[in-house]
Amino acid sequence: MTAGESGGKGLESPSGERGPFLSAHVGYWVAGWMQGRGVCSAALQEALRQARDELGLHRIQASVLPHNTASTAVLHRAGFTLIGTAPSYLRIAGSWQDHLLYQRILH
């Protein structure tokens, strides 16, 4: 995982074990003044490369708020597909928020 003043990215394996799942969840953020410069797209492409080539993962999942069109566009450009909606998925700003779930199959 990398993070700094302008943004960050990270891969997280929910179980911490390899087993048959070989999957991880990816997340990213970028400071407002860095938005629209391709930073998240480049970071996500590098995370996908590392997940496939260095970690040998099969699948990456990402979740996004339905109204976050910029993040949804990043996922689409990276080849992610929508797999469903998770009601009340994360508590954000004091309330449970629905999220769209996306995945990218690497192998």
Side-chain angles (χ1 to χ4, degrees), residues 23-46:
S23 184
H25 189 274
V26 66
Y28 48 84
W29 64 272
V30 66
W33 63 274
M34 292 291 292
Q35 292 177 358
R37 298 180 183 198
V39 173
C40 283
S41 291
L44 181 56
Q45 288 298 333
E46 176 59 17

Side-chain angles (χ1 to χ4, degrees), residues 35-58:
Q35 292 177 358
R37 298 180 183 198
V39 173
C40 283
S41 291
L44 181 56
Q45 288 298 333
E46 176 59 17
L48 292 171
R49 185 200 64 75
Q50 289 177 15
R52 182 190 63 236
D53 299 343
E54 297 175 22
L55 301 175
L57 297 180
H58 169 71

